[in-house]
Amino acid sequence: EAGVTQSPTHLIKTRGQQVTLRCSPISGHTSVYWYQQALGLGLQFLLWYDEGEERNRGNFPPRFSGRQFPNYSSELNVNALELEDSALYLCASSQFGVNTEAFFGQGTRLTVV
Amino acid sequence: SQQGEEDPQALSIQEGENATMNCSYKTSINNLQWYRQNSGRGLVHLILIRSNEREKHSGRLRVTLDTSKKSSSLLITASRAADTASYFCATGLTGGGNKLTFGTGTQLKVEL
């Protein structure tokens, strides 16, 4: 069974540009979560989608946005990139509901120069 | 903000020894999950323990949960060099659906 897949693996962008990261969840999982892991800041929750709807949002500015498609895959968009957006962006998926295991992809390493 | 604090921040042991990592959290939880991360890559799911469970085992892993003390521990027995990684606890908060809040992590180094 395929795990959570993310693309691209690495990305270099210039400050002020826009970027789109993609995530395909495990088959049968309807929830997708996005996390940011910046150096020295730990894993910070960004967004949670389920059945195409945004269920929860972390403490990030509106230039971080995303969506979930009918096939449950998801995109994370970041506009007006800043240097501090450089981080590993991790996507996870789970079945909807409490006490379900969340499985992570390998992440997208974004570098903003 | 971080929900949990992990202790120790770093741990260095010899191969064959046991490694114990602790996680403390602040608010009521539905579950607590432990993850491993190698060299800044993706997280590997290790184990989930529900708030009404006290102990779970998976291979060389043993996890305990004490909700009265708001703490959990991860024990890795007979450690191997391949266990070298960062270990994170993540809590599913009551009322938070399945959104996870992560601790600060423990860096484990297992030396030959």
Side-chain angles (χ1 to χ4, degrees), chain B residues 30-67:
Chain B
N30 292 318
N31 64 76
L32 188 146
Q33 304 187 45
W34 283 91
Y35 290 86
R36 184 185 76 229
Q37 185 178 39
N38 293 85
S39 302
R41 297 301 294 168
L43 276 69
V44 175
H45 189 272
L46 297 177
I47 202 162
L48 179 153
I49 186 165
R50 294 176 169 78
S51 61
N52 61 352
E53 297 175 315
R54 293 296 166 257
E55 187 171 314
K56 282 189 84 169
H57 296 255
S58 177
R60 295 184 295 114
L61 306 180
R62 172 178 169 253
V63 168
T64 61
L65 178 64
D66 187 335
T67 53

Side-chain angles (χ1 to χ4, degrees), chain A residues 9-10 33 35 37 41-45 48 56-57 88 90 94-95 97-107 109, chain B residues 1-2 30-31 33 35 37 39-45 47-51 88 96-104:
Chain A
T9 305
H10 294 85
Y33 314 82
Y35 291 82
Q37 187 178 30
L41 292 180
L43 281 128
Q44 303 291 329
F45 168 74
W48 168 25
N56 204 331
R57 182 182 178 85
L88 181 66
L90 292 160
S94 76
Q95 296 177 342
V98 177
N99 293 330
T100 59
E101 295 166 326
F103 297 93
F104 282 78
Q106 287 299 300
R109 174 74 64 185
Chain B
S1 63
Q2 297 298 120
N30 292 318
N31 64 76
Q33 304 187 45
Y35 290 86
Q37 185 178 39
S39 302
R41 297 301 294 168
L43 276 69
V44 175
H45 189 272
I47 202 162
L48 179 153
I49 186 165
R50 294 176 169 78
S51 61
F88 293 89
N98 209 29
K99 164 194 160 186
L100 294 174
T101 305
F102 280 81
T104 51

Side-chain angles (χ1 to χ4, degrees), chain A residues 35-106:
Chain A
Y35 291 82
Q36 182 197 65
Q37 187 178 30
L39 197 62
L41 292 180
L43 281 128
Q44 303 291 329
F45 168 74
L46 267 164
L47 290 159
W48 168 25
Y49 291 96
D50 185 81
E51 295 288 359
E53 292 187 12
E54 183 180 298
R55 298 285 181 162
N56 204 331
R57 182 182 178 85
N59 188 25
F60 280 84
R63 58 191 186 82
F64 286 84
S65 65
R67 55 179 173 168
Q68 186 180 33
F69 298 97
N71 65 354
Y72 304 114
S73 66
S74 177
E75 286 182 352
L76 174 68
N77 299 292
V78 188
N79 294 321
L81 284 166
E82 301 178 0
L83 296 179
E84 52 265 36
D85 296 333
S86 295
L88 181 66
Y89 288 86
L90 292 160
C91 172
S93 75
S94 76
Q95 296 177 342
F96 183 75
V98 177
N99 293 330
T100 59
E101 295 166 326
F103 297 93
F104 282 78
Q106 287 299 300

Side-chain angles (χ1 to χ4, degrees), chain B residues 54-108:
Chain B
R54 293 296 166 257
E55 187 171 314
K56 282 189 84 169
H57 296 255
S58 177
R60 295 184 295 114
L61 306 180
R62 172 178 169 253
V63 168
T64 61
L65 178 64
D66 187 335
T67 53
S68 66
K69 295 182 179 178
K70 292 186 169 59
S71 68
S72 174
S73 67
L74 170 67
L75 168 67
I76 304 174
T77 61
S79 62
R80 306 165 182 169
D83 295 328
T84 295
S86 292
Y87 291 81
F88 293 89
C89 68
T91 48
L93 305 182
T94 302
N98 209 29
K99 164 194 160 186
L100 294 174
T101 305
F102 280 81
T104 51
T106 293
Q107 292 185 25
L108 173 66

